[in-house]
């Protein structure tokens, strides 16, 4: 039995990854803010332990991993996927509370989840596991007026590099998958046109979220002796190169 903890599992990328992993025989621990959304993911996946979780709250994260341990006894994979964003506004007008929410959800929360996962993976027998961080292509190429999201995703790259260093002696493999324009409700606006780095507005292509889910699952099943530190997946025609 292999056990995956998936944050942001109630919709979008997290839900797609949950369904794909379940199809490959994984046991699931589904984390997110909404019980009903998590239960719908579990229904679509055919199974799954739904644990309402606020990743920005360390006590909530501790309860999530305690539930995983109580139910399954171990964790083999953390897909650090929970995230949020702000409306696109000029840098100097970004409300402090919006900045704080994005950093707490997109960066501090994944750090809390990684801490809890690493502690379990070090202690369990057999030792080890895998962490996959959802970095986004914004981890190296910002969109206009995206300070909070871009800063948080650059921070995920720092988290990934630190985990690679600190976990390599404990059988824990770490990857970051940088995703561009997966077709979910969050990217519906791409089909209407979004601001570009050159000041224009353009429609952007999107990719089937199922393709991304299969890529995450392929990373998850690699032997722990091997890891892919960074991987980018995006539509071929997405205008990433040239925006920064």
């Amino acid at each position: 039995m292999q056990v995956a903890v998936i944050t942001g599992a109630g919709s979008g990328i997290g839900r797609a990854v949950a369904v794909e992993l379940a199809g490959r025989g994984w046991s699931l621990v589904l984390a997110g803010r909404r019980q009903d959304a998590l239960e719908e993911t579990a229904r679509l996946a055919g199974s799954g332990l739904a644990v309402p979780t606020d990743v920005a709250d360390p006590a909530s994260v501790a309860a999530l991993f305690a539930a995983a341990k109580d139910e399954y006894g171990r964790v083999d994979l953390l897909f650090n996927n929970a995230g949020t964003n702000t409306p696109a506004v000029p840098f100097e007008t970004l409300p402090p509370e919006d900045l704080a929410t994005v950093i707490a959800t997109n960066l501090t929360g994944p750090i809390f989840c990684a801490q809890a996962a690493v502690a379990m993976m070090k202690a369990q027998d057999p030792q080890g596991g895998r962490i996959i961080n959802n970095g986004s292509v914004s981890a190296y190429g910002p969109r206009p007026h995206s300070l909070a999201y871009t800063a948080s995703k650059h921070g995920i790259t720092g988290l990934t590099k630190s985990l690679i260093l600190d976990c390599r002696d404990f059988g824990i493999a770490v990857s970051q998958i940088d995703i561009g324009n997966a077709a979910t409700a969050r990217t519906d606006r791409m089909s209407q046109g979004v601001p570009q780095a050159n000041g224009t507005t353009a429609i952007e292509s999107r990719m089937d979220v199922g393709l991304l889910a299969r890529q995450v699952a392929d990373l998850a099943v690699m032997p722990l002796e091997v890891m892919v530190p960074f991987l980018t997946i995006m539509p071929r025609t997405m205008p990433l190169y040239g925006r920064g």
Side-chain angles (χ1 to χ4, degrees):
M1 177 182 66
Q2 290 187 297
V3 180
V5 173
I6 303 170
T7 67
S11 63
I13 292 170
R15 174 173 285 176
V17 169
V19 170
E20 180 67 25
L21 287 173
R24 300 192 190 198
W26 286 70
S27 297
L28 305 178
V29 181
L30 305 171
R33 291 180 178 272
R34 293 172 44 225
Q35 177 79 33
D36 59 339
L38 297 176
E39 290 176 353
E40 176 63 10
T41 298
R43 186 189 69 79
L44 292 169
S47 65
L49 177 66
V51 185
T53 305
D54 177 2
V55 297
D57 178 358
S60 186
V61 171
L64 166 66
F65 281 85
K69 186 173 183 180
D70 288 346
E71 184 72 15
Y72 297 115
R74 62 182 293 111
V75 168
D76 299 286
L77 171 69
L78 166 63
F79 181 40
N80 239 341
N81 170 68
T84 190
N85 204 348
T86 64
V89 297
F91 167 81
E92 68 275 13
T93 67
L94 179 66
E97 59 271 21
D98 287 357
L99 172 62
T101 296
V102 171
I103 296 300
T105 304
N106 294 11
L107 179 57
T108 311
I111 291 172
F112 291 153
C113 290
Q115 287 179 311
V118 167
M120 276 191 67
M121 290 173 179
K122 282 184 176 182
Q124 63 197 16
D125 185 19
Q127 187 182 66
R130 190 175 301 273
I131 296 172
I132 302 175
N133 294 322
N134 181 345
S136 168
V137 294
S138 289
Y140 50 88
R143 289 186 178 277
H145 304 312
S146 65
L147 166 73
Y149 189 79
T150 299
S152 70
K153 293 303 186 177
H154 275 63
I156 289 293
T157 298
L159 170 62
T160 299
K161 290 180 177 180
S162 291
L163 288 172
I164 288 170
L165 175 62
D166 293 342
C167 294
R168 63 188 180 191
D169 292 334
F170 302 99
I172 301 171
V174 184
S175 297
Q176 177 172 317
I177 186 162
D178 294 322
I179 301 160
N181 291 3
T184 66
R186 183 171 290 182
T187 62
D188 282 346
R189 62 193 178 92
M190 303 298 175
S191 60
Q192 305 301 315
V194 291
Q196 302 296 304
N198 63 1
T200 64
T201 298
I203 294 172
E204 294 192 10
S205 55
R206 299 191 298 163
M207 65 180 174
D208 180 0
V209 71
L211 296 173
L212 163 64
R214 290 199 290 274
Q215 186 65 75
V216 173
D218 286 345
L219 289 174
V221 299
M222 295 180 72
L224 292 178
E225 291 74 20
V226 178
M227 69 176 181
V228 178
F230 294 92
L231 183 150
T232 300
I233 181 169
M234 65 184 202
R236 178 180 53 82
T237 57
M238 181 182 176
L240 171 65
Y241 291 96
R243 85 179 196 199

